[in-house]
Amino acid sequence: MHVRQLREFAITRGVLQANLDARRWQRVVRGVYATFTGPLTHPANVSAALLYGGPTAMISHTSAADRWQGKTEQRRPAEVEITVAYGRSAISQLPLVKVHRSRAIRHIGAGTDPERTRRVDTLTDLAVAEPNAADATTMFIGLAGRWPVTVRQLGRNLEVRPPYRYRKALNGALRLVASGLMSELEREYLELVERAHGIPPARRQQPFLVDDRLLYEDATYDHLGALLTVRLDSRTWHAMPWVAFRDRRRDNAAELAGRSRLTYGWNEVHTDPCGVAEEVIGVLRRSGVLFLARRCPRCAANTHAEAG
């Protein structure tokens, strides 16, 4: 309970102190007390954090993300992140409460109980909280690919609630998402494989009919005259049996259609983009696609290391 609520029940400071001294009650954060003994549960910590933040406070950032992803268990450490309106006196009370501020507090709530920031605002907040622009871009693209938010919602949010940092990077990330780039693995493929080696850009998330179901391939080069599909396998993070079955059916459909296909995971794209590029370039040229490929700085470094 907040100290204001205690006063409404005519509980004096003396009664409060007596219960604290007798360890029947416990202080959670400044001005907020648990009127019971024993360890605090995660819901109790959340309630305490919101009481401390005041009537406009809402769960935000990692705490909101947990709720949107269906996680309600205790975090380690047990920090609850909240957002309050500018002008509120609440400051972070670590390790329990981390306080953020927003001038748009009336517009970012999702109408949940307990109140939390909307998905689109939570996504942007998490990206802005990253330590650098590259990590912010990774966070933005990764969540945009997993959460049910639209490009329009993301763009509108960046427009009406401009982030206080990484604005250019996040607008660039939005353009990548709008072009069909829906995961960090796809971003790495685009930047480290295609752009770095002069490979003409693929078409992203192209639809194909498999077993009367419309499925989407990560990158295709049909518009260049090559029946080539590049599939980026992110099952390192999202392993589910139905995904493996779906991909086997896509492989079989591609084989029956006479399509070439290359599949890469995080390890290949992230640690050996030059090797991936060499294979993609080989298939494109075998298919008669002419373009001027180039060596990236990493290619040169690898050649120098081998020569040494």
Side-chain angles (χ1 to χ4, degrees):
M1 297 184 72
H2 196 278
V3 67
R4 292 188 302 271
Q5 296 172 302
L6 295 176
R7 293 195 191 105
E8 291 173 2
F9 287 103
I11 297 175
T12 65
R13 183 167 295 276
V15 171
L16 168 62
Q17 191 60 52
N19 279 284
L20 291 174
D21 292 342
R23 297 187 179 180
R24 290 187 291 269
W25 295 357
Q26 52 189 312
R27 181 181 183 273
V28 185
V29 292
R30 189 179 65 191
V32 179
Y33 302 89
T35 56
F36 56 84
T37 59
L40 294 173
T41 63
H42 185 59
N45 282 337
V46 170
S47 296
L50 292 174
L51 282 172
Y52 171 71
T56 64
M58 61 186 69
I59 305 168
S60 65
H61 294 74
T62 56
S63 297
D66 281 350
R67 294 298 180 110
W68 286 123
Q69 295 174 132
K71 300 176 183 177
T72 57
E73 70 274 10
Q74 183 78 51
R75 290 183 59 83
R76 295 288 188 267
E79 181 181 273
V80 178
E81 294 194 72
I82 63 173
T83 291
V84 302
Y86 265 93
R88 295 291 304 177
S89 60
I91 60 174
S92 294
Q93 300 285 306
L94 300 178
L96 177 65
V97 186
K98 185 174 182 178
V99 177
H100 305 272
R101 303 184 189 282
S102 173
R103 300 185 189 279
I105 197 73
R106 292 184 299 172
H107 308 290
I108 63 176
T112 56
D113 184 21
E115 183 65 293
R116 61 180 180 263
T117 50
R118 300 177 305 169
R119 274 194 184 92
V120 67
D121 292 287
T122 303
L123 185 155
T124 304
D125 288 341
L126 290 174
V128 172
E130 289 296 309
N132 55 63
D135 288 346
T137 298
T138 296
M139 177 67 74
F140 189 93
I141 292 174
L143 291 180
R146 296 196 301 271
W147 288 10
V149 292
T150 66
V151 171
R152 183 176 180 180
Q153 289 172 328
L154 292 168
R156 179 63 176 164
N157 200 54
L158 291 177
E159 178 184 348
V160 301
R161 194 183 171 216
Y164 68 90
R165 63 178 182 173
Y166 310 144
R167 192 173 305 181
K168 182 178 179 180
L170 294 185
N171 278 302
L174 176 64
R175 288 192 292 272
L176 292 176
V177 172
S179 70
L181 200 72
M182 294 305 291
S183 75
E184 169 60 10
L185 184 57
E186 291 177 69
R187 185 184 78 86
E188 293 245 332
Y189 179 82
L190 172 65
E191 295 184 354
L192 301 183
V193 176
E194 282 189 347
R195 289 179 176 172
H197 296 90
I199 299 173
R203 295 279 172 83
R204 314 286 171 186
Q205 300 299 322
Q206 293 297 293
F208 286 85
L209 197 63
V210 178
D211 296 337
D212 295 323
R213 292 183 60 194
L214 196 61
L215 300 177
Y216 294 84
E217 295 289 13
D218 299 315
T220 60
Y221 295 88
D222 299 50
H223 62 295
L224 301 176
L227 297 181
L228 169 61
T229 294
V230 171
R231 189 169 300 146
L232 301 170
D233 186 355
S234 60
R235 279 178 288 162
T236 302
W237 302 290
H238 307 293
M240 290 178 282
W242 71 266
V243 175
F245 173 76
R246 177 202 67 189
D247 287 348
R248 287 197 300 272
R249 296 301 303 148
R250 289 197 302 184
D251 279 341
N252 293 345
E255 180 66 30
L256 293 171
R259 298 184 60 82
S260 299
R261 59 200 178 279
L262 297 170
T263 302
Y264 301 107
W266 170 261
N267 187 60
E268 299 101 309
V269 174
H270 188 68
T271 63
D272 186 24
C274 303
V276 172
E278 183 178 354
E279 294 179 353
V280 174
I281 291 169
V283 175
L284 290 176
R285 286 182 171 165
R286 188 182 68 195
S287 302
V289 181
L290 301 178
F291 60 96
L292 184 62
R294 61 175 175 266
R295 294 166 59 81
C296 74
R298 191 183 303 218
C299 292
N302 290 340
T303 301
H304 179 74
E306 291 173 3

